[in-house]
Amino acid sequence: MINTWIHIQKAMKDELYNILNYWKTNTIDNENGGFIGKIDYPNIKKTEHHKGVILNTRLLWTFSAASNFYKNDTYTDLCLRSYEYLKKYFIDPNYGGVIWEVDYKGNPINKRKQIYAQSFMIYALSEYYQFSNNEESKNLAITLFDLIEKYALDKIHGGYIEAFNQDWSPIADMRLSEKDKNVEKTMNTHLHILEAYTKLYQIHPKKNIAIALKNLIHLFLTKFITKNNHLHLFFDVKWNLKSTIYSYGHDIETAWLLIKAAKTLNEKSILSIIERRALQITNTFLNEAIDKDGGVMNEINYKSGHIDTDKHWWQQAEAIVGLYYAYQIKQDEHYLKKALKIWEFITDKVIDYNYGEWHWLIDTYGDFDPKNEKIGMWKCPYHNSRACMEINKNVATI
């Protein structure tokens, strides 16, 4: 099994190059700056499509993380291109923070302050600073942290409010996307605040960030993780539950991101609790989320019992990382065997060998829908490139 896993690591390292090369080759917007906002299947460039902050922050993170992974300057120009575009078009000079969306020429079209977006900007800026030592990027990340803590932290009930108007005043529609519920607090946003603060603490280990990170871990242990080892998704401001869905991909992603956060804090008592809960989540995930073809299903409505068997690209990537983290705790090859099956599903069904990158999703019949975009607001290289890097960071631990 160990020899097989070493082969997977090499294959994923090769795939990392393919992913990065796709984005380097196909997505640069030479006419308007930054990167193209949307590419439809197979590779139809929509050069006049709007540009979203999530795509652009994830691009900065990806090329910065790749630069840190390879320890060279291959992607320096792309890092700088992404950083300068974000700074010029998405940073709000009037109220601070980052806005949600601009048109293809960089004109603002949606100035809302989604906390999810502020978090991804922190995550990207912190990774970029680790590569570039650009003090401005570090200071921007710290400023965004301060803004989140000032405006979004609920000092009465705990947790973070989902979204605001441009001037940080309350907003009626807080939804991150059309499929989400319009509620004050969501697991997904808290997860990515956790992820961002973990990275920020690595480059700026100050007490206030450690306190915020510990509070987030406590929230996951007491509010989001259920007794049956899933994650609740939507709550009102007073933590009344507003959803009946478990998202399998978010379950396993949360498990390993909590471990990383606890390790970053370097407190054994916290890490011990987190590793135990993460293993419980991972074991439940293995019992419930894997389809007969080896792929990770989307979600289940635990009230009705209905399972959405579509297999999104990002869920497959996060599952491999989560299972690898579980193996590092238990040294049980069972986790590696399950990760191998998911990687086989990815290589068989998800990777687009004809046109590059990964398909958005594979349906229950094993097919992809060409109507799904190749890149866009949410279709970014963050999940799959990160999985390839995470699996290859600690080869010696096998």
Side-chain angles (χ1 to χ4, degrees), residues 29-78:
D29 187 343
N30 288 312
E31 185 173 346
N32 300 294
F35 299 84
I36 295 170
K38 186 179 182 184
I39 297 180
D40 284 338
Y41 183 86
N43 265 330
I44 303 170
K45 297 180 180 180
K46 302 291 186 176
T47 57
E48 296 187 1
H49 195 271
H50 298 164
K51 299 181 178 184
V53 69
I54 300 306
L55 171 62
N56 282 274
T57 52
R58 289 179 174 183
L59 283 170
L60 176 58
W61 180 88
T62 297
F63 288 120
S64 299
S67 299
N68 288 322
F69 176 79
Y70 289 120
K71 295 180 172 61
N72 63 37
D73 59 0
T74 300
Y75 299 107
T76 298
D77 290 347
L78 293 174

Side-chain angles (χ1 to χ4, degrees), residues 162-191:
E162 185 75 5
F164 300 86
N165 287 309
Q166 181 191 5
D167 62 358
W168 300 99
S169 62
I171 191 170
D173 187 350
M174 299 187 184
R175 291 176 299 169
L176 190 62
S177 68
E178 291 182 358
K179 69 175 184 177
D180 290 326
K181 289 184 176 294
N182 186 26
V183 295
E184 287 89 351
K185 295 171 184 175
T186 72
M187 188 284 300
N188 196 19
T189 289
H190 281 77
L191 178 62

Side-chain angles (χ1 to χ4, degrees), residues 23-272:
W23 287 85
K24 179 180 180 180
T25 304
N26 293 280
T27 66
I28 294 174
D29 187 343
N30 288 312
E31 185 173 346
N32 300 294
F35 299 84
I36 295 170
K38 186 179 182 184
I39 297 180
D40 284 338
Y41 183 86
N43 265 330
I44 303 170
K45 297 180 180 180
K46 302 291 186 176
T47 57
E48 296 187 1
H49 195 271
H50 298 164
K51 299 181 178 184
V53 69
I54 300 306
L55 171 62
N56 282 274
T57 52
R58 289 179 174 183
L59 283 170
L60 176 58
W61 180 88
T62 297
F63 288 120
S64 299
S67 299
N68 288 322
F69 176 79
Y70 289 120
K71 295 180 172 61
N72 63 37
D73 59 0
T74 300
Y75 299 107
T76 298
D77 290 347
L78 293 174
C79 290
L80 186 59
R81 180 185 193 86
S82 181
Y83 174 67
E84 293 293 343
Y85 192 86
L86 282 163
K87 193 172 64 168
K88 183 176 181 180
Y89 294 109
F90 284 98
I91 294 283
D92 184 345
N94 297 313
Y95 298 99
V98 292
I99 64 173
W100 186 248
E101 194 173 10
V102 300
D103 69 15
Y104 72 100
K105 291 184 177 180
N107 300 306
I109 55 173
N110 189 339
K111 297 182 180 181
R112 67 189 287 134
K113 299 289 168 59
Q114 207 78 33
I115 298 305
Y116 184 98
Q118 316 309 310
S119 301
F120 264 103
M121 189 66 166
I122 292 173
Y123 191 49
L125 290 169
S126 300
E127 191 74 43
Y128 179 59
Y129 171 78
Q130 201 169 54
F131 166 62
S132 66
N133 290 316
N134 181 324
E135 286 293 329
E136 181 187 50
S137 67
K138 178 180 178 179
N139 291 333
L140 280 171
I142 295 167
T143 297
L144 287 167
F145 168 84
D146 291 338
L147 286 169
I148 292 175
E149 295 298 304
K150 178 180 180 180
Y151 291 112
L153 179 63
D154 182 347
K155 297 173 179 63
I156 298 174
H157 304 290
Y160 294 86
I161 304 300
E162 185 75 5
F164 300 86
N165 287 309
Q166 181 191 5
D167 62 358
W168 300 99
S169 62
I171 191 170
D173 187 350
M174 299 187 184
R175 291 176 299 169
L176 190 62
S177 68
E178 291 182 358
K179 69 175 184 177
D180 290 326
K181 289 184 176 294
N182 186 26
V183 295
E184 287 89 351
K185 295 171 184 175
T186 72
M187 188 284 300
N188 196 19
T189 289
H190 281 77
L191 178 62
H192 293 293
I193 301 172
L194 174 88
E195 170 188 68
Y197 285 9
T198 298
K199 192 68 195 180
L200 180 60
Y201 188 70
Q202 290 172 8
I203 67 163
H204 190 66
K206 298 299 182 180
K207 184 177 180 180
N208 59 336
I209 301 173
I211 291 171
L213 200 48
K214 289 177 187 178
N215 286 339
L216 279 159
I217 290 173
H218 179 72
L219 284 172
F220 274 90
L221 291 173
T222 59
K223 299 296 185 184
F224 294 114
I225 300 176
T226 70
K227 292 180 180 179
N228 59 348
N229 308 314
H230 290 285
L231 276 295
H232 282 313
L233 300 181
F234 298 100
F235 297 83
D236 68 15
V237 71
K238 294 183 178 180
W239 294 106
N240 295 304
L241 182 62
K242 297 296 180 179
S243 62
T244 59
I245 298 292
Y246 296 145
S247 167
Y248 294 129
H250 286 109
D251 284 353
I252 194 67
E253 184 181 16
T254 299
W256 78 263
L257 284 174
L258 280 170
I259 294 170
K260 174 159 278 194
K263 285 183 174 180
T264 298
L265 285 170
N266 196 27
E267 293 191 17
K268 290 183 178 180
S269 59
I270 295 176
L271 180 59
S272 177

Side-chain angles (χ1 to χ4, degrees), residues 369-383:
D369 187 346
K371 292 180 181 178
N372 287 323
E373 62 199 35
K374 182 61 68 73
I375 78 163
M377 170 72 84
W378 298 102
K379 185 63 166 60
C380 316
Y382 147 77
H383 291 285

